[in-house]
Amino acid sequence: MGNRKLKLTLTIILAVLVVALIATAVVYFIGLSGTAEQEELPVETPVMLETADPQRFLEGITIAGVDVGGMTLKEARDAIAPVKNELLSNISFELVHAQADASDTPELPEPPAEPGTTAKPAVKFPGTVENLGIVCNDMIVLDQAFDLGHSGEEGEELDALIKDVRTNGREFEIALEVDENVIMAGAIAEIAAKINVDAQDATVQINKDAEDPAQMFVFTNAVTGVELDQQALITLIEDTLAAGTKTGELTIPVIITEPQIMDGAATEDIVLRSHFESSFAKSPYNRDTRVFNIKKACGLITGTILEPGQVFSTNDTLGPRTYALGWKGAPAIIEGGASEDQAGGGVCHVSTTLYDAVVMADLEIVYRRGHSSKLGYDPGGLDATINTGTIDFKWKNNTDSNIYVIMYVDDEKKVVVCDIYGEAFPEEYDEIRLTSKKLRTLTPQGEIEYRVDKTQKPDYVKVFAERKNGSVYQSYKNYYKNGELVKTEKLAETTYPARNGITIVGPGYLTPSPGLTTPGTNTPNPNTPNPNTPNPNTPNPNTPNPETPNPDTPDPNPDTPDPEVPVG
């Protein structure tokens, strides 16, 4: 019994020892295996990356040949200062604008030619660092160089850059350039003020004060335009400095503008297109106040230069005809064909002369109206009336060139003269002559109008407006070439109405009679006329009558048959 317990105990101990031995072996082999695996892994060594000093240039950087690696910005700026100063030293240019013997060089107002020479001397300007605005770009280059390694690079990128710059280096150069603000206010302003000239066409003006009409034209020569080419000058200076040149002459670049109208064209294109005269030699046309008004009107019109497409207004040119504006009283046609003195009387003599000259110059008539009665100084159908604010004579320059009008009074011949100049006529004709012809006579269709003036005596009678026939005229334009008629065109049909007549009578002078009454009047007694009694009912000369405004004295014999009447 005892032996059996001992034997069981020994068996248990032996089993425990075996298990322990197996566990130990397992642990040993596991440990051995883990060590083997660890021996197969590589050993990682820490890497140190380079960084840039935020206050200093990278090693290997040179500016203008100076090594600035490791320097601060101020140190680098001081280091390259001698190079910069050398670049800016001894700069002295002479900017030259040659005027002499150059076909494409404009005439300049100054300086005058030297005595004994025919060519103008060149215009010269000193060019210095100050007035040319020459500066060094060192600060810009310093910033560009310092940006290497200080522009956000980091890690391996920065490391590689630092090593590359240290090994291979980086070179930066400084240069001279032009500050545009400085040169604009300096040399460019000075040069432009001296040489810039606007292009000017050759022109023709009229000197209204010339006593001799032949000397009224004033010709101005053409001027070739010249303008400093500012940007080209800046580029020229910078290119010259970049090439290492710091002294010498530089030719100023300019822009040339040729005038559109040269001297010859301005004079050769002007010819006399028409000449017309109308006489004021006979009474009442030669009355001194009337001649005064004619001369005043001519003086306002002469010298007119009408550009292509422009319209000439006689009323606008003369202005209102009033005593306050210096016009004098002279005969003018008013209501019913009667005549009275009005401020500016006689100006229709001028408008009529102008009208005939304009037609003969083959210019476009915009608006024209004939008088209410045929005139004695101009053939029927070829007159033009005007009146302040109501009736105008207008015409248009329908050519491609300027039209020049010269009007004056020839005191010796006692004529109003109008000359019109412009471009030559087309090849088909070289002259226009005017004619007119009476088509028919018009007779009064009503009775004489009698008006009562209660301020007069009962037997008073005064013919205020004559009873007379009217007429209708046709005018013609006749085109000639070398004196031979080429063609004829109708110009205008003008009607001068018949007049019933107006008579002023005293109160009680009229008795009722069928056919001879007018509203508010009675039939006159034809046996007691008093034609020499002054007319108290003459209209106020300061109040123009709108019915028949301000034309001239009518023809005293309007019913005389007219053949075809030549004009001009």
Side-chain angles (χ1 to χ4, degrees), residues 47 57 106 135 188 246 254 270 325 448 460 485 502 513 559:
V47 178
F57 286 87
V135 295
I188 284 180
K246 300 166 69 175
V254 295
I270 297 179
L325 292 176
I448 297 175
Y460 176 83
L485 181 63
I502 301 174
S513 175
D559 299 323

Side-chain angles (χ1 to χ4, degrees), residues 346-412:
V347 294
C348 287
H349 201 135
V350 177
S351 63
T352 292
T353 305
L354 178 62
Y355 169 66
D356 289 343
V358 166
V359 175
M360 292 169 63
D362 208 20
L363 302 173
E364 180 182 338
I365 304 301
V366 176
Y367 182 83
R368 166 262 177 187
R369 176 170 157 181
H371 289 76
S372 60
S373 295
K374 180 179 174 297
L375 304 175
Y377 58 80
D378 196 79
L382 292 170
D383 57 306
T385 185
I386 57 174
N387 184 58
T388 299
T390 58
I391 302 175
D392 201 358
F393 166 47
K394 295 182 178 182
W395 54 279
K396 179 180 180 180
N397 179 2
N398 57 346
T399 73
D400 295 327
S401 303
N402 287 351
I403 289 294
Y404 305 87
V405 181
I406 295 178
M407 289 200 78
Y408 59 96
V409 170
D410 187 328
D411 287 315
E412 183 177 349

Side-chain angles (χ1 to χ4, degrees), residues 281-562:
K282 296 181 180 181
S283 178
Y285 307 121
N286 58 4
R287 193 171 126 183
D288 57 350
T289 55
R290 187 176 185 277
V291 174
F292 173 89
N293 291 334
I294 289 174
K295 289 183 177 181
K296 181 177 175 68
C298 286
L300 293 170
I301 294 174
T302 195
T304 292
I305 300 176
L306 208 63
E307 296 180 357
Q310 282 190 322
V311 174
F312 177 90
S313 164
T314 309
N315 274 341
D316 288 349
T317 303
L318 298 185
R321 274 77 73 193
T322 65
Y323 292 109
L325 292 176
W327 298 92
K328 295 187 177 181
I333 298 176
I334 57 169
E335 177 188 13
S339 175
E340 71 169 12
D341 278 7
Q342 287 188 358
V347 294
C348 287
H349 201 135
V350 177
S351 63
T352 292
T353 305
L354 178 62
Y355 169 66
D356 289 343
V358 166
V359 175
M360 292 169 63
D362 208 20
L363 302 173
E364 180 182 338
I365 304 301
V366 176
Y367 182 83
R368 166 262 177 187
R369 176 170 157 181
H371 289 76
S372 60
S373 295
K374 180 179 174 297
L375 304 175
Y377 58 80
D378 196 79
L382 292 170
D383 57 306
T385 185
I386 57 174
N387 184 58
T388 299
T390 58
I391 302 175
D392 201 358
F393 166 47
K394 295 182 178 182
W395 54 279
K396 179 180 180 180
N397 179 2
N398 57 346
T399 73
D400 295 327
S401 303
N402 287 351
I403 289 294
Y404 305 87
V405 181
I406 295 178
M407 289 200 78
Y408 59 96
V409 170
D410 187 328
D411 287 315
E412 183 177 349
K413 295 172 60 177
K414 297 190 183 305
V415 293
V416 184
V417 180
C418 182
D419 291 328
I420 295 183
Y421 292 82
E423 65 184 25
F425 286 128
E427 286 295 324
E428 304 92 87
Y429 55 93
D430 56 21
E431 179 188 7
I432 296 176
R433 303 175 190 175
L434 305 182
T435 56
S436 67
K437 180 173 62 176
K438 180 189 283 188
L439 300 181
R440 59 188 176 275
T441 297
L442 304 177
T443 58
Q445 299 300 303
E447 300 297 334
I448 297 175
E449 178 185 352
Y450 293 91
R451 296 180 180 177
V452 177
D453 182 356
K454 295 181 179 180
T455 66
Q456 299 296 331
K457 295 179 180 181
D459 61 349
Y460 176 83
V461 58
K462 172 69 175 179
V463 176
F464 177 73
E466 294 278 355
R467 181 178 177 86
K468 61 182 180 181
N469 291 339
S471 52
V472 179
Y473 277 80
Q474 176 65 57
S475 55
Y476 302 89
K477 293 173 68 175
N478 304 286
Y479 295 79
Y480 284 81
K481 178 74 171 181
N482 299 324
E484 297 292 331
L485 181 63
V486 176
K487 63 178 179 178
T488 296
E489 294 180 354
K490 287 184 177 182
L491 175 58
E493 185 176 295
T494 304
T495 299
Y496 305 103
R499 299 295 183 180
N500 293 328
I502 301 174
T503 299
I504 307 297
V505 297
Y509 179 79
L510 301 177
T511 58
S513 175
L516 294 179
T517 59
T518 56
T521 65
N522 296 318
T523 304
N525 183 347
N527 297 319
T528 56
N530 187 7
N532 297 320
T533 303
N535 181 5
N537 203 29
T538 302
N540 186 333
N542 294 317
T543 309
N545 187 298
E547 178 188 336
T548 317
N550 199 19
D552 281 333
T553 306
D555 186 346
N557 300 301
D559 299 323
T560 303
D562 289 343

Side-chain angles (χ1 to χ4, degrees), residues 116-176:
T117 65
T118 57
K120 292 184 178 181
V123 182
K124 298 182 180 181
F125 304 88
T128 64
V129 170
E130 290 76 20
N131 72 346
L132 295 180
I134 298 174
V135 295
C136 182
N137 67 346
D138 57 315
M139 295 305 297
I140 295 175
V141 175
L142 283 166
D143 288 341
Q144 291 174 345
F146 190 80
D147 280 345
L148 281 177
H150 302 91
S151 299
E153 304 94 339
E154 56 185 22
E156 293 181 357
E157 179 186 7
L158 177 60
D159 180 78
L161 176 63
I162 293 173
K163 291 176 179 178
D164 180 59
V165 172
R166 182 186 301 120
T167 302
N168 299 313
R170 290 290 191 278
E171 296 181 1
F172 292 85
E173 296 298 332
I174 61 176
L176 299 180

